Amino acid sequence: MCGIIGYVGKAEATPILLEGLRRLEYRGYDSSGIAVMNGSSDAPIQTRKRSGRLDNLRTLLTEKPAAGHCGISHTRWATHGEPTDANAHPHNDSSGRLALVHNGVIENYQVLKDHLEEDGHVFHSQTDSEVLAHLVGNAYDASNESDPQRRLVEAVREALHQVAGTYGIVAMHADAPGFLVGARFGSPLVVGLGKGEKFLASDVGAIVSHTTDAIYLRDRDLVCLTEDDFSIENVDGDQAEYEVSTVDFTPEQAEKGEYPHYMLKEIFEQPTSIQNAFRGRLIDDQASAILGGLQLTPRELRDVDRIVLCGCGTASHAAMVGEYLIEHLARIPTEVEIASEFRYRNPPLDKNTLVFVISQSGETIDTLAAMREGQRKGHRVLGIVNSVGSTIARESDGGSYLYSGPEIGVAATKSFTSQVTLLALLAILLGRMRHLSVDAGQQLLKELRELPAKVEKILLQSEHIRQIALKYLDAKGMLFLGRQFNYPTALEGALKMKEISYIFASGHAAAELKHGIIALVSEETPSVFIMPRDSVYEKNVSTLEEVKARKGPVIAITTEGSTELERIADDVIYIPPVSECLAPILAAIPLQLLSYHFAVALDCDVDKPRNLAKSVTVE
Ligand code: M6R
């Protein structure tokens, strides 16, 4: 949560920072702010900040421009303190000559703040982050170092040694014009290396239009930047290793293009993103799949006797489909652990248990902590990640990328279908080493290849789905019901609906209805049944009848040809036929479109739903 970007170079910093913030706004949009300085050590730092969306800051900058070639900026997802102007970053120290932006949480901020206040420091915000600005400023003012750049670095280091919690920071001081110091622990930070200009940002997407040469900092790295140079040490002052990577996506990929919202664009990208997830990974002559990044020998894969899949939100729903897939195709006992629970739960894991963490961003703090906990116990933890170069991608013991391209809409869409596709490949790979027949393996490979065309067909129904959404805009709440492979799909459908349209929705295993949930059924509470023609289709029809008998409106998502449902359900959405175990990939798409059209019709901010942020990097 929160996005930060810093710039030092020859160009005007403000437009670059604003553009970077626009690209980072998905990380938080409660407030935004920038601080810039020009080349003179006498000139004070100019700070502009505003609560609310980035446009408010833009307006302020039109009224009160800020010029300079070096600056820092921030878009906030509020943790400590309401989204007010005062709580917006950057924060200053007592002298007003130091400015700092922070992404993360300073857990011991209250104790530190009390001490600082006793020493006469006056705080202007309720944030934990302002404490860092004062700590750095305090150390800077107390230092005897005569070189202002060195002095700032030492001060940052001293301050960071006092804090507990997570941080990605960038700081600058009016005494050291054209000089930025950044550091990270638990929050992402990437350095962009341009010609005569340097960048620091929470996400490479913010700087990719300026440079494709990037260094993904590691925890405890501390970086110093001038327009022509950079150095990386760790916060203890020791030399740190780093690698310059080439960013593998274009700025256009991170734009909405002709679509009104990123979410819609990302829904419509799924024929390609699903293909990218399986491209080059299907081995026809073995009727199997290859996931080279796992870095496991066939013998090691054969020895796996239990699998744990860990993730949060949508990724945990994909993991649940993965559990069904792996147990069904490979017969390996598999469990899903919500990452935030796993990290503290201390579940027993034996030596042949393989742990996977699943994350679109590769930065979700709970998933990262779950990974580290697994590794701490000596397990090999593998990642299924979309963001190349993200912390999970770098720290995991191997894994596979989704190759979905940037997902910017806060609601996860294409990452879900790609995660399930990848888990299907894993299940086929493990299955073919055990009981899965050649015929069954070949059939699944064929069906995987057919998925993109089938997704295209579903997308053609977007208008039909919109018309359905328009009928139910007054819904008091919604139920999403599915069984077996589509129980997780139901959970995912409900999450999408809640998240972007703010309609209360809950997902359930359909047969659970009569164990309590049916009490919610009424004319104002539509039920969405995810019921392709599969082994539990008839059971789902009976449950649907029970809902209709109580006057509950029903939207059914079913397989083409199941026209009999048109007589019982109020609305029907068809998906092409597909094997039961791959059906969640297709069934998720009408659910994404349904929630999207609900949200648009209800005038909700689809790409930036209230209270949320794309990347949850705080606990
Ligand atoms: O980046 P991650 O996949 O680790 O994110 C996990 C969740 O925060 C994410 O899926 C969240 O639930 C989405 N907003 C759901 O649409």
Side-chain angles (χ1 to χ4, degrees), residues 442-456:
Q442 273 166 351
Q443 174 61 22
L444 285 163
L445 300 198
K446 177 172 169 291
E447 291 210 48
L448 281 164
R449 287 197 173 93
E450 289 168 356
L451 284 174
K454 291 181 180 178
V455 173
E456 296 276 12

Side-chain angles (χ1 to χ4, degrees), residues 376-436:
R376 192 192 59 76
K377 289 181 170 169
H379 284 272
R380 198 190 299 239
V381 183
L382 302 167
I384 294 180
V385 171
N386 190 35
S387 282
V388 176
S390 57
T391 309
I392 293 180
R394 283 180 293 115
E395 289 190 17
S396 56
D397 304 299
S400 295
Y401 279 121
L402 301 179
Y403 298 123
S404 307
E407 187 182 74
I408 292 167
V410 165
T413 51
K414 60 178 177 174
S415 60
F416 175 78
T417 49
S418 292
Q419 285 160 350
V420 175
T421 303
L422 221 125
L423 288 162
L425 300 186
L426 177 67
I428 294 168
L429 167 68
L430 295 168
R432 288 287 296 123
M433 297 179 129
R434 292 168 175 81
H435 317 282
L436 194 69

Side-chain angles (χ1 to χ4, degrees), residues 138-181:
N138 214 23
Y140 184 92
D141 293 342
S143 168
N144 297 322
E145 171 64 58
S146 55
D147 173 8
Q149 293 189 354
R150 218 49 241 161
R151 192 163 165 179
L152 180 58
V153 172
E154 296 304 334
V156 167
R157 203 171 266 146
E158 196 176 319
L160 293 180
H161 279 126
Q162 296 177 59
V163 300
T166 55
Y167 55 79
I169 60 160
V170 192
M172 62 185 195
H173 200 288
D175 292 353
F179 182 66
L180 296 177
V181 182

Side-chain angles (χ1 to χ4, degrees), residues 311-317 358-365 367 384 387 392 407 409-413 415 419 492 495-496 499-500 609 612-616:
C312 298
T314 290
S316 74
H317 299 153
I358 305 175
S359 173
Q360 187 286 127
S361 61
E363 299 293 350
T364 300
I365 195 85
T367 312
I384 294 180
S387 282
I392 293 180
E407 187 182 74
V410 165
T413 51
S415 60
Q419 285 160 350
E492 177 59 9
L495 176 60
K496 289 290 92 87
E499 174 175 40
I500 60 165
L612 281 168
K614 179 75 177 161
S615 191
V616 184

Side-chain angles (χ1 to χ4, degrees), residues 410-574:
V410 165
T413 51
K414 60 178 177 174
S415 60
F416 175 78
T417 49
S418 292
Q419 285 160 350
V420 175
T421 303
L422 221 125
L423 288 162
L425 300 186
L426 177 67
I428 294 168
L429 167 68
L430 295 168
R432 288 287 296 123
M433 297 179 129
R434 292 168 175 81
H435 317 282
L436 194 69
S437 70
V438 174
D439 282 358
Q442 273 166 351
Q443 174 61 22
L444 285 163
L445 300 198
K446 177 172 169 291
E447 291 210 48
L448 281 164
R449 287 197 173 93
E450 289 168 356
L451 284 174
K454 291 181 180 178
V455 173
E456 296 276 12
K457 224 173 152 189
I458 298 170
L459 294 173
L460 291 175
Q461 298 179 68
S462 181
E463 178 54 26
H464 169 57
I465 295 170
R466 190 177 80 87
Q467 293 301 330
I468 295 174
L470 295 180
K471 284 171 65 177
Y472 299 104
L473 295 181
D474 292 333
K476 295 256 177 306
M478 289 182 80
L479 299 174
F480 286 76
L481 304 160
R483 288 186 81 157
Q484 299 289 300
F485 289 93
N486 283 305
Y487 164 42
T489 323
L491 297 179
E492 177 59 9
L495 176 60
K496 289 290 92 87
M497 189 60 73
K498 284 183 273 220
E499 174 175 40
I500 60 165
S501 70
Y502 318 141
I503 292 178
F504 183 81
S506 61
H508 304 277
E512 279 292 291
L513 197 77
K514 54 194 170 297
H515 298 290
I517 301 125
I518 200 162
L520 294 171
V521 169
S522 76
E523 285 174 65
E524 288 100 34
T525 309
S527 296
V528 181
F529 275 79
I530 300 108
M531 47 185 300
R533 197 167 265 284
D534 57 15
S535 60
V536 285
Y537 176 74
E538 300 299 342
K539 306 277 177 205
N540 275 324
V541 174
S542 304
T543 313
L544 192 163
E545 294 277 15
E546 288 160 16
V547 171
K548 283 310 302 171
R550 287 156 182 89
K551 297 198 178 351
V554 167
I555 303 164
I557 295 172
T558 190
T559 311
E560 287 167 2
S562 304
T563 47
E564 68 279 5
L565 282 189
E566 288 177 22
R567 275 180 277 118
I568 3 176
D570 297 81
D571 295 283
V572 182
I573 303 166
Y574 292 106

